[in-house]
Amino acid sequence: MLIELQIRDFAIIDRLHLRLEAGFNVLTGETGAGKSIIIDALGTLRGERTDVSLVRAGCSRARIEGIFSLDDCPHLIPVLQEYGLYDEDDGQVILTREISAASGRSVARINGRAVSTSVLREVGTQLIDIHGQHEGLSLFNPRTHLEMLDRFGELVAQRHQVAEVVTRLRRIREELADLRRSEARRQERLEELHFLIEDVAAAKLRPGEEEDLLRERAVVQNAARITSLANDAYSILYEGREGGRSPVRPVVAATAQIAAALDELARLDPSVAALTSQANDLHYQAEDLAAALRSYRLSLDFESDRIDQIEDRLTVLRDLQRKYGGDLVQLIERAERAEAEIERLTHSSEHIAELEQQEARQLTQLGRLARDLSTRRRTVGDQLAAQIEGAMGDLAMPNVRFAVRVAQSDDPHGVPMPNATPVAFDKTGIDQVEFLISPNPGEPLKPLARIASGGESARLLLALKSILSRVDEVPTLIFDEIDVGVGGRAGQVVGQKLWAITEKHQVICISHLPQVAAFADTHYHISKAFRDDRTHTAVRMLDMQERVEELAAMLDGAPSAHSRANAHEILERAERWKRG
């Protein structure tokens, strides 16, 4: 649930700190005070789009921060762990969004770590669900109706079984399509693969050969210089000459003389013993270096035609690379894979027959699972329709007829049906689900998106939410003026249904109806004031007496003895209903 919300320099709100409670939270106040702006701020924490117009005039940036408890949404913990955002020592998650006035860009953070908007959206939409009278996106989008129906009927697990079979079936069909395409040019492909294997085998390729040849070529091309340098270095060390010129003493002999002198000096003055050790080490290192150079010099044996052999071999390797593409390692791997492909192509007809049998078995299994799921959807759809019609009757729309249409479309490559044409399928099954409504007596059922008015959609959304809330995993549900267009009598039922949702959810509602506000477990008042030629928004939690005054003002504009008495009666009636 949402524990705390802080808003700074967002729209007309300069600073707002709101601590929220579990249960039914209601926000009321005069028009333009900033109630809906609070909802907009929460929308930014769900990853919704932002722009520079949301930054309060004259400010450098807007900042919104929400602190949420994870106690009621354990399903979110694996998501946070996946992105390295979970704090095991804290049962909370903090979402932050900052919007720059200079660029209009926003920065999102979760638990203090910067994240992309898509990650914020993935987390935020699992914490908050916002519904308003003009929202309608999910309700009026037929693609979401199947999800709503499956959640209501607890059919999601069965749908996942269907999805697993569909995944296997699609994989088999892809392999079959590849084999059938290969079959059309099988002989040509077999010749290509045989040529590849023969060329690679004849060339006797080995990984790293090209790099070895290039290094050897560089050595052979500089043979004279390499020999000269090795001879000169050895001569200086052991023969005391370089290029025919004789120095005073060879390096090895000089270091031996230095070591002997220091050895005698150490006997006379022990303080130079360390120098003696260094001199001996230097002499031994010079001898080792001379011996290594002698071995290297003796190993130099440059064949006169070696450079031609290297160039010929490099030409072979590069011709193969141009012909088949890739480097030597890839060529060797392709030749190894070619053997398996030759085997598959040689016996492709057997493979095709085997895969066709697998395809038939998967189609049979898919048909059984998908038809069973479709039957259950029809049953659950009738149950959902009956409950929604009942809820709409409670909301002063007793003549509304509601139905869930479950249909299929023909597809010759689809799922076989008993005594019927095969039907199309996807990972959700074989059904297209759409909600239908008839708001007035005598009118036929029509798609919801084309028939419901604003007031009808608000009440229908509330009816759906009150019914689906028991299977909804999002812990905090927000309703923005969902009671617009609802009269006082229906407002009582709206309040009852919103409060009933709090059995499994935290509910935050902006309302203009006192009959709805009376059901609040916690009631907040949003007000605005003008100071220094600027609008400032404030929010405070109301006590019982303040709630009476607020409801009286909502009833009559200016509280009076009569409106206060009515407010008392509305509050007492709501409390009696809540107590059962």
Side-chain angles (χ1 to χ4, degrees), residues 463-498:
L464 270 171
K465 275 295 169 185
S466 65
I467 293 166
L468 296 176
S469 62
R470 63 185 175 86
V471 292
D472 196 336
E473 289 187 328
V474 179
T476 299
L477 304 181
I478 299 172
F479 294 89
D480 183 12
E481 300 186 357
I482 200 170
D483 51 17
V484 169
V486 177
R489 182 175 300 175
Q492 169 85 9
V493 181
V494 171
Q496 291 172 357
K497 292 192 176 298
L498 286 171

Side-chain angles (χ1 to χ4, degrees), residues 61-93:
R61 62 171 38 84
R63 189 173 190 275
I64 306 97
E65 180 177 278
I67 303 175
F68 298 83
S69 168
L70 291 173
D71 294 341
D72 43 11
C73 50
H75 60 279
L76 185 59
I77 292 175
V79 177
L80 295 171
Q81 290 173 330
E82 178 184 351
Y83 294 109
L85 302 170
Y86 180 56
D87 186 351
E88 295 183 0
D89 297 328
D90 194 351
Q92 299 177 346
V93 60

Side-chain angles (χ1 to χ4, degrees), residues 554-566:
M554 295 170 73
L555 283 166
D556 201 18
S560 62
H562 179 68
S563 61
R564 289 187 182 98
N566 282 343

Side-chain angles (χ1 to χ4, degrees), residues 131-331:
H131 307 282
Q133 58 163 328
H134 302 299
E135 177 213 26
L137 292 178
S138 61
L139 185 59
F140 293 152
N141 184 351
R143 287 179 296 182
T144 68
H145 295 173
L146 183 143
E147 178 67 28
M148 291 182 183
L149 179 65
D150 285 354
R151 281 168 41 211
F152 170 74
E154 299 181 356
L155 304 176
V156 175
Q158 189 173 351
R159 191 179 72 203
H160 286 165
Q161 291 180 333
V162 170
E164 290 173 0
V165 179
V166 170
T167 299
R168 291 197 297 270
L169 177 60
R170 286 177 174 172
R171 191 181 303 120
I172 290 169
R173 286 185 165 180
E174 287 171 4
E175 190 173 350
L176 266 173
D178 288 342
L179 273 174
R180 286 165 178 157
R181 283 193 297 268
S182 298
E183 182 70 12
R185 54 182 295 267
R186 184 170 65 91
Q187 193 57 43
E188 180 183 348
R189 180 60 177 162
L190 281 169
E191 291 177 1
E192 291 176 359
L193 294 170
H194 281 301
F195 283 138
L196 169 62
I197 292 171
E198 290 168 4
D199 285 345
V200 170
K204 297 180 180 178
L205 301 181
R206 63 176 178 81
E209 180 182 7
E210 185 176 15
E211 292 79 2
D212 293 343
L213 287 170
L214 290 173
R215 283 192 294 270
E216 186 180 358
R217 184 177 67 175
V219 171
V220 174
Q221 286 174 335
N222 295 281
R225 182 59 178 159
I226 289 171
T227 303
S228 174
L229 291 171
N231 283 331
D232 287 348
Y234 181 77
S235 296
I236 293 171
L237 283 166
Y238 247 124
E239 298 176 4
R241 58 183 176 81
E242 178 189 12
R245 301 186 301 275
S246 298
V248 175
R249 187 180 295 275
V251 171
V252 172
T255 55
Q257 184 177 3
I258 293 169
L262 287 177
D263 186 55
E264 184 178 350
L265 178 58
R267 288 196 295 270
L268 300 174
D269 182 0
S271 66
V272 298
L275 297 178
T276 301
S277 178
Q278 290 181 24
N280 284 322
D281 289 344
L282 182 62
H283 174 63
Y284 297 144
Q285 289 174 4
E287 280 190 327
D288 290 343
L289 177 59
L293 274 171
R294 180 170 60 246
S295 298
Y296 174 71
R297 185 182 63 171
L298 293 174
S299 70
L300 294 176
D301 182 15
F302 298 107
E303 301 175 15
S304 59
D305 61 345
R306 182 54 184 161
I307 192 67
D308 295 332
Q309 295 172 3
I310 292 172
E311 294 294 351
D312 290 344
R313 183 60 176 170
L314 286 171
T315 299
V316 170
L317 300 184
R318 286 167 181 167
D319 285 346
L320 280 174
Q321 289 172 309
R322 279 193 296 269
K323 184 176 181 180
Y324 294 107
D327 57 29
L328 296 188
V329 172
Q330 291 170 329
L331 275 175

Side-chain angles (χ1 to χ4, degrees), residues 6-164:
Q6 294 194 54
I7 303 173
R8 182 168 182 174
D9 298 329
F10 183 83
I12 66 168
I13 296 176
D14 52 352
R15 293 189 183 186
L16 185 144
H17 183 195
L18 182 62
R19 293 190 64 87
L20 292 146
E21 304 294 333
F24 189 25
N25 298 265
V26 173
L27 284 69
T28 61
E30 62 184 291
T31 301
K35 300 184 298 298
S36 292
I37 294 173
I38 294 174
I39 306 301
D40 293 339
L42 285 167
T44 68
L45 296 182
R46 295 178 78 246
E48 294 175 7
R49 287 190 174 185
T50 62
D51 60 65
V52 69
S53 66
L54 295 174
V55 182
R56 182 175 167 87
C59 300
S60 61
R61 62 171 38 84
R63 189 173 190 275
I64 306 97
E65 180 177 278
I67 303 175
F68 298 83
S69 168
L70 291 173
D71 294 341
D72 43 11
C73 50
H75 60 279
L76 185 59
I77 292 175
V79 177
L80 295 171
Q81 290 173 330
E82 178 184 351
Y83 294 109
L85 302 170
Y86 180 56
D87 186 351
E88 295 183 0
D89 297 328
D90 194 351
Q92 299 177 346
V93 60
I94 302 174
L95 307 188
T96 309
R97 195 89 179 267
E98 291 185 353
I99 310 164
S100 169
S103 64
R105 294 180 179 178
S106 69
V107 175
R109 290 185 175 84
I110 297 178
N111 285 341
R113 279 159 277 190
V115 297
S116 65
T117 304
S118 62
V119 173
L120 178 70
R121 188 178 302 115
E122 182 177 356
V123 173
T125 52
Q126 295 188 58
L127 289 168
I128 316 169
D129 201 357
I130 299 176
H131 307 282
Q133 58 163 328
H134 302 299
E135 177 213 26
L137 292 178
S138 61
L139 185 59
F140 293 152
N141 184 351
R143 287 179 296 182
T144 68
H145 295 173
L146 183 143
E147 178 67 28
M148 291 182 183
L149 179 65
D150 285 354
R151 281 168 41 211
F152 170 74
E154 299 181 356
L155 304 176
V156 175
Q158 189 173 351
R159 191 179 72 203
H160 286 165
Q161 291 180 333
V162 170
E164 290 173 0

